[in-house]
Amino acid sequence: MKLIGIPILISAVLFGLMLLLDKLQGRNTKTAIHYILNPFSVMRPAEIFVFTILSILLIVYYWVILSKRKQDKENTAAK
Amino acid sequence: MNRKRAVLLGLLASLSVFMSGCWSERQLTDMAIVSAVGIDQDEEGKYVASYQFFNPGNIAGGLQGGGGGQSPPVAVYTATGDSIMEVHGNMSKKVSREPYYSHANLIVISDELAEKEGIASVLDAFSRGSQFRVTTTVVIARDVKAKDLMTTLTALDKVPSQKIMDTLETTEKAMGENINIDLQEVIRGLVSPGKEPLISGFTVKGDVKEGKKQESLQATDLPMTIEADGNAVFKNGKLVDWIDGSGARSVLWVLDRVESTTITIKWADKKDAVSYRVVRQKTNVSADIKGGKPRISVGIHMEGDIGEVRVPIELKDPDVLEKVEKEIREQTRKEIEQAIRRAQKNKTDVFGFGEVFHQAEPKEWKKVKKSWEDSIFPNLNVEVKVEAYVRRTGLRNNSYLSDIKSEQE
Amino acid sequence: MEKAKISPRQLFMLIVLFELGSSIIIPVGLTAKQDAWLAVLGGMVGGLLLFLLYHKVGSYYPGLVPTEYMPKIWGPFLGNIFAFLYVIYLFYLAARVLRDFGEMLVMFAYPETPLFIINLLWMILVVYTVRKGIEALARTGEILFVVLFILAMASLLLLIFNGSIDTRNLQPVFEEGPLPLVKAIGETVFFPFGEIVFFTMILPYINDSKKTKRAGLYALILSGLILSVTMAINLSVLGYSLLARTNFPLLATIQTIELAEFLQRLDVFFIIGVVIGGFFKITILFYVAVMGTTSLFKVEKPEQLVFPLGFITLFLSVGIASSFPEHIQEGLDIVPMYLHLPFQVIFPLLLLVGAFLRNRHKQKSSG
């Protein structure tokens, strides 16, 4: 819960910060978002591969941690 | 148990003796290894093929002491015939060994032959024969005979045909103005109604006669060089046009065969003022139907760095960079539209738009297949969108030219 | 976050490595032109003052990190909001520095490799280190400090023997009056010196709190001197005009070394030094950011958040700017005014005032 929520919150605020800084540089919102996302649109196959592996790792990581937590909780509850 | 195993193994081992294919045996000394085949046509319409053979003793030249100045690393023999098989047969009258084609990586067809008769009929033997590989590079000889490309010697590479192939590979990657195409793709282009092949041209600059002599290699500034020169455009198998330079690059771009290239744009009223080196690019070609007519959309996305500036320009300012990006987009878009229009005038679909349309709208394609090249393609509505981004400017930001300018003011 | 402790000497080394980190490759104080080296010295003085400020604030609440004492000073609502803003600021800075280093490697050594991949490789190392904790970092710092020192000395000697240094390029001093210098000092205070505001998060972990002040001040003085000398050398070797046009001046300086026909192309010295410095700066920033997050949100097992937060930082570093010049301009024009000024100066001052008022209160009521 916290583990998932905190990164999401931070990502959202940081994204907003990026937008804010770009706007201060004189770009309007639409172009700013476009410019933030565009480095990811020309990705060579190797990059896409790495990106997918990273995402999978992240998901697996969360899976492992959350299930461990559940186990701990169940253990303490059983006691 | 062990005994049985041993006998079994022994039997298997002895069987392998029979599998060495004694019937199709070939001794190395009975073979003449062909490195490239060049095909011209004489006035009677017969094929004149020039085979470039490896001269085995002289390839490994450097290891032998004393070296240089003996016979060249390759030998060229010519034979005539009404078909490729006949040429092969007639070659045996000149060569002491049987030609062996498995190492033949290059086929050169003369431009005259390609214009008059077309390349379709000449290529069948190469695709049918067991020794030829479908990955053989195909090249058109421009303004010279195919034989001349076979006989010209080269400095850095011992085997001239190797030089042609390596040059083609390198330049396709570095400049994107010549296409590195093999036999398989050429045939596919000939067969498909929605596409025409595009083949690179090579020529010999300088003195062709001197180029055949080994002594010509003894100078630093060679009297002759083999160079890539434009691309040949075909219609129905016959050569109809040549495209060079940035027009060629545009075609290759749409074909998504450009890896990196340099684009120069105009800036501050000076031509070729800023050079942009493309590092990464992606091309998307899609087809759909708009207003009852087929429509093609070409999308190009590129990223790169500034490689050179020849005018004072504020590279530190992202707004300036944005303007540069816009200029790059505009120029590339115009070049590509120009190339498309030229192909439309020639009525040859080098871009393979027909195939793209076929894959997107198969039902419609069936209806228009026959008239694609001659009536639909020339009037095709093609939308070109280009996105370009400048990422870096190298180790410097502004040029010293900016400082010179500000000192003068 | 953890029970580990580091010694004042390790703090000293960490601060020096941190300061040298990206400042060595990105030039500051250029508004003062050839007096930039003086601007660096001026910034150092400013940095010393700021450090004293931060230390004083921390001394009201020994053993507590800023995310813990901010709510105490300003009340839970405001205090936590500000602490959160600090954490965001830290992530942004970590991503910025990561971007700086990634860009340099791409530009100089790996032009075909995507920036994302290079930054990823950095982050793998950083995430691993942060998971291991501050002690591991500090101990690594001790070793690398020596390496860096040797490299720096070697480069300096080579430059001297090479005859590249021409101190006439430092003249005329004060060519356009003191004003540009003052403006430049205004820049250098923020970057690189004011950035030690993050060390406030680490100060409570020093095992000998009395020596902390001294360690910090000495570290600042040493790094200030080194940076100033480096800037002076760069100016002497290249001259202001070339330096201003170069994206990485120190590299250009080292490239001029051509001694005895074989000591050429010592660019690799530059790369090693820069990679070490960059690693430290990014790791410290990231560590402090993670620590701030976990203490703010009271996470029980902070190690678990390191990987996801690293992921975010990686993406942030690619997204903050879409070209290198844009990234630099953002850093020079926008960041100091809107980010550094509030977080390095204004908020700490407010904190100091608040802490003072609160504790005077307390003393009165308990006395």
Side-chain angles (χ1 to χ4, degrees):
Chain A
M1 304 65 298
K2 255 199 227 169
L3 271 188
I4 304 184
I6 297 177
I8 294 184
L9 173 66
I10 294 193
S11 317
V13 177
L14 283 173
F15 190 79
L17 177 66
M18 275 202 280
L19 270 182
L20 179 65
L21 287 174
D22 280 347
K23 278 188 88 162
L24 284 173
Q25 271 186 313
R27 286 216 189 101
N28 63 352
T29 324
K30 194 159 159 244
T31 18
I33 298 187
H34 183 238
Y35 266 79
I36 291 179
L37 295 176
N38 89 58
F40 295 107
S41 49
V42 181
M43 285 214 259
R44 290 212 182 124
E47 261 185 290
I48 299 185
F49 182 63
V50 170
F51 188 71
T52 334
I53 294 215
L54 264 186
S55 316
I56 295 180
L57 269 180
L58 189 66
I59 298 177
V60 166
Y61 182 79
Y62 264 111
W63 182 266
V64 166
I65 299 233
L66 288 177
S67 47
K68 229 203 260 178
R69 271 208 175 180
K70 254 218 294 202
Q71 255 193 354
D72 288 341
K73 279 218 184 108
E74 283 168 14
N75 284 345
T76 43
K79 286 189 196 149
Chain B
M1 254 316 130
N2 262 341
R3 253 291 207 70
K4 243 194 179 177
R5 268 227 210 124
V7 171
L8 212 53
L9 276 174
L11 261 177
L12 277 174
S14 50
L15 272 179
S16 61
V17 172
F18 293 103
M19 292 203 280
S20 52
C22 295
W23 239 299
S24 296
E25 69 148 7
R26 268 199 191 91
Q27 298 287 5
L28 210 51
T29 46
D30 293 340
M31 299 192 299
I33 306 181
V34 184
S35 64
V37 175
I39 308 178
D40 293 297
Q41 203 175 35
D42 66 9
E43 307 83 45
E44 298 163 29
K46 287 194 202 245
Y47 294 135
V48 180
S50 320
Y51 285 16
Q52 190 183 78
F53 292 99
F54 281 121
N55 204 341
N58 294 359
I59 302 285
L63 299 170
Q64 302 155 351
Q70 316 137 334
S71 37
V74 292
V76 179
Y77 286 91
T78 320
T80 318
D82 289 313
S83 68
I84 298 293
M85 292 310 296
E86 222 185 270
V87 169
H88 174 93
N90 284 335
M91 193 62 83
S92 65
K93 296 185 193 159
K94 304 200 179 174
V95 187
S96 59
R97 315 164 181 200
E98 177 160 7
Y100 183 62
Y101 298 101
S102 293
H103 289 278
N105 296 333
L106 180 64
I107 299 177
V108 180
I109 304 179
S110 87
D111 47 358
E112 286 175 2
L113 171 58
E115 275 177 40
K116 270 208 269 179
E117 188 181 297
I119 54 176
S121 38
V122 89
L123 291 177
D124 176 84
F126 296 107
S127 100
R128 192 181 297 271
S130 58
Q131 285 177 14
F132 273 99
R133 299 203 290 248
V134 286
T135 52
T136 311
T137 309
V138 180
V139 149
I140 305 279
R142 184 175 185 178
D143 297 334
V144 291
K145 284 207 188 338
K147 179 168 176 203
D148 296 327
L149 273 180
M150 298 282 106
T151 51
T152 307
L153 294 170
T154 54
L156 286 175
D157 308 89
K158 277 210 162 208
V159 182
S161 64
Q162 195 64 40
K163 174 197 162 107
I164 295 182
M165 294 190 304
D166 289 342
T167 306
L168 199 51
E169 198 181 318
T170 314
T171 186
E172 191 192 34
K173 270 203 218 141
M175 267 308 271
E177 285 179 10
N178 284 85
I179 190 169
N180 186 7
I181 197 168
D182 59 28
L183 187 57
Q184 182 168 267
E185 286 179 59
V186 172
I187 294 184
R188 222 194 331 205
L190 287 171
V191 166
S192 165
K195 187 178 161 70
E196 289 280 359
L198 185 72
I199 305 183
S200 283
F202 267 81
T203 186
V204 180
K205 289 254 164 73
D207 196 332
V208 175
K209 277 232 190 78
E210 293 295 313
K212 308 186 196 199
K213 304 203 191 125
Q214 176 83 341
E215 299 92 61
S216 305
L217 288 180
Q218 308 283 1
T220 48
D221 190 11
L222 299 173
M224 71 294 174
T225 40
I226 297 183
E227 279 180 25
D229 192 3
N231 300 278
V233 178
F234 288 81
K235 186 172 164 69
N236 293 331
K238 294 212 183 125
L239 192 158
V240 293
D241 196 9
W242 288 94
I243 27 174
D244 314 278
S246 57
R249 175 175 67 196
S250 303
V251 176
L252 263 80
W253 219 318
V254 178
L255 291 171
D256 201 12
R257 292 185 79 117
V258 173
E259 274 189 39
S260 68
T261 183
T262 308
I263 301 181
T264 42
I265 58 168
K266 187 172 74 149
W267 188 264
D269 301 322
K270 184 160 173 177
K271 269 192 78 181
D272 300 327
V274 177
S275 297
Y276 170 75
R277 180 99 198 132
V278 176
V279 171
R280 215 167 280 148
Q281 68 88 36
K282 203 161 70 159
T283 310
N284 272 327
V285 182
S286 61
D288 61 357
I289 302 210
K290 183 171 174 191
K293 287 211 195 139
R295 178 180 68 157
I296 303 278
S297 311
V298 177
I300 295 188
H301 182 139
M302 61 173 120
E303 296 197 356
D305 309 332
I306 304 278
E308 179 184 353
V309 300
R310 296 174 58 227
V311 289
I313 171 176
E314 272 296 312
L315 289 177
K316 282 199 274 204
D317 185 355
D319 291 326
V320 169
L321 283 183
E322 246 177 272
K323 289 209 192 83
V324 170
E325 284 173 1
K326 228 173 95 183
E327 190 61 39
I328 295 174
R329 288 173 213 198
E330 272 309 299
Q331 185 165 312
T332 309
R333 194 177 57 88
K334 276 204 212 115
E335 280 178 12
I336 294 185
E337 282 178 349
Q338 245 181 344
I340 295 180
R341 273 198 294 268
R342 181 168 176 166
Q344 283 179 323
K345 230 176 38 169
N346 279 324
K347 300 204 176 152
T348 58
D349 184 0
V350 275
F351 308 102
F353 285 157
E355 264 190 20
V356 177
F357 187 66
H358 177 183
Q359 287 161 359
E361 307 271 348
K363 291 205 209 90
E364 277 297 311
W365 172 249
K366 265 208 229 157
K367 292 190 221 158
V368 302
K369 201 159 56 166
K370 298 246 166 65
S371 52
W372 178 263
E373 271 229 323
D374 289 313
S375 37
I376 303 203
F377 174 71
N379 302 314
L380 200 55
N381 176 14
V382 185
E383 273 181 26
V384 180
K385 256 209 292 203
V386 180
E387 276 180 25
Y389 297 99
V390 176
R391 295 287 181 218
R392 275 159 212 110
T393 60
L395 287 177
R396 303 277 182 268
N397 37 56
N398 287 351
S399 161
Y400 49 78
L401 295 169
S402 312
D403 284 351
I404 297 178
K405 178 167 167 230
S406 56
E407 289 299 322
Q408 285 170 349
E409 282 167 5
Chain C
M1 169 163 133
E2 36 183 307
K3 302 156 222 96
K5 290 284 192 184
I6 63 173
S7 71
R9 199 185 55 189
Q10 287 171 326
L11 173 69
F12 171 81
M13 292 189 181
L14 280 180
I15 294 184
V16 173
L17 282 170
F18 178 87
E19 287 295 321
L20 296 185
S22 60
S23 340
I24 267 209
I25 55 170
I26 299 200
V28 269
L30 288 180
T31 325
K33 296 212 181 164
Q34 58 269 32
D35 298 327
W37 60 288
L38 285 172
V40 172
L41 282 176
M44 173 182 88
V45 171
L48 290 172
L49 291 172
L50 284 177
F51 181 73
L52 288 172
L53 168 62
Y54 305 144
H55 189 257
K56 188 76 177 148
V57 174
S59 66
Y60 281 104
Y61 300 94
L64 291 185
V65 288
T67 46
E68 289 165 353
Y69 62 64
M70 275 196 224
K72 283 200 196 288
I73 298 181
W74 285 335
F77 183 64
L78 263 184
N80 281 323
I81 298 261
F82 275 104
F84 182 64
L85 287 180
Y86 254 100
V87 166
I88 295 289
Y89 173 56
L90 285 169
F91 274 114
Y92 176 74
L93 280 179
R96 263 201 84 85
V97 180
L98 179 60
R99 178 67 181 259
D100 285 337
F101 282 94
E103 287 276 357
M104 188 212 70
L105 283 178
V106 169
M107 209 179 292
F108 185 61
Y110 308 106
E112 308 272 326
T113 314
L115 184 66
F116 181 74
I117 302 283
I118 297 230
N119 285 3
L120 170 67
L121 291 173
W122 275 104
M123 276 319 282
I124 291 178
L125 188 58
V126 171
V127 164
Y128 178 73
T129 311
V130 170
R131 275 194 77 126
K132 290 294 177 191
I134 184 92
E135 251 192 57
L137 182 64
R139 272 182 264 139
T140 323
E142 290 186 85
I143 303 175
L144 290 178
F145 183 82
V146 176
V147 172
L148 199 57
F149 198 71
I150 295 178
L151 273 178
M153 283 298 114
S155 313
L156 182 60
L157 285 174
L158 284 172
L159 278 170
I160 295 180
F161 287 141
N162 197 39
S164 320
I165 302 189
D166 183 359
T167 47
R168 284 174 305 172
N169 278 329
L170 292 175
Q171 289 169 357
V173 185
F174 286 137
E175 181 176 355
E176 293 175 30
L179 195 57
L181 181 59
V182 172
K183 274 205 267 184
I185 295 185
E187 289 169 13
T188 54
V189 166
F190 294 139
F191 175 85
F193 295 105
E195 294 187 319
I196 52 162
V197 70
F198 331 125
F199 275 94
T200 53
M201 293 283 280
I202 302 184
L203 292 180
Y205 288 99
I206 315 293
N207 56 16
D208 185 346
S209 47
K210 284 190 281 289
K211 293 223 191 111
T212 314
K213 205 193 222 175
R214 261 207 324 196
L217 289 175
Y218 284 163
L220 278 177
I221 293 179
L222 179 63
S223 35
L225 285 174
I226 295 182
L227 285 174
S228 173
V229 167
T230 309
M231 181 55 90
I233 292 181
N234 279 338
L235 281 168
S236 320
V237 171
L238 304 172
Y240 169 72
S241 154
L242 176 57
L243 197 148
R245 281 186 271 114
T246 312
N247 280 326
F248 301 112
L250 188 60
L251 175 63
T253 308
I254 293 196
Q255 280 176 329
T256 63
I257 298 179
E258 275 183 325
L259 213 49
E261 280 192 23
F262 71 95
L263 283 173
Q264 289 172 4
R265 305 183 181 280
L266 288 169
D267 315 344
V268 70
F269 272 20
F270 174 74
I271 297 282
I272 297 178
V274 153
V275 166
I276 293 178
F279 168 67
F280 270 94
K281 197 152 180 187
I282 301 176
T283 311
I284 292 178
L285 280 171
F286 183 64
Y287 174 76
V288 174
V290 169
M291 205 171 66
T293 318
T294 54
S295 105
L296 188 61
F297 290 99
K298 307 213 184 0
V299 178
E300 307 132 6
K301 287 225 202 103
E303 312 85 58
Q304 293 176 336
L305 263 186
V306 178
F307 177 41
L309 289 177
F311 204 71
I312 295 178
T313 314
L314 173 61
F315 276 89
L316 186 63
S317 76
V318 176
I320 48 179
S322 89
S323 70
F324 188 62
E326 180 192 328
H327 175 73
I328 296 286
Q329 194 218 36
E330 206 174 281
L332 287 178
D333 292 341
I334 305 196
V335 172
M337 177 68 88
Y338 294 96
L339 287 183
H340 285 329
L341 185 61
F343 284 100
Q344 287 174 9
V345 180
I346 300 184
F347 293 168
L349 275 175
L350 290 176
L351 277 173
L352 181 63
V353 170
F356 181 66
L357 290 175
R358 284 240 174 203
N359 288 308
R360 221 175 33 160
H361 245 35
K362 263 205 205 148
Q363 278 177 348
K364 268 200 190 158
S365 50
S366 57

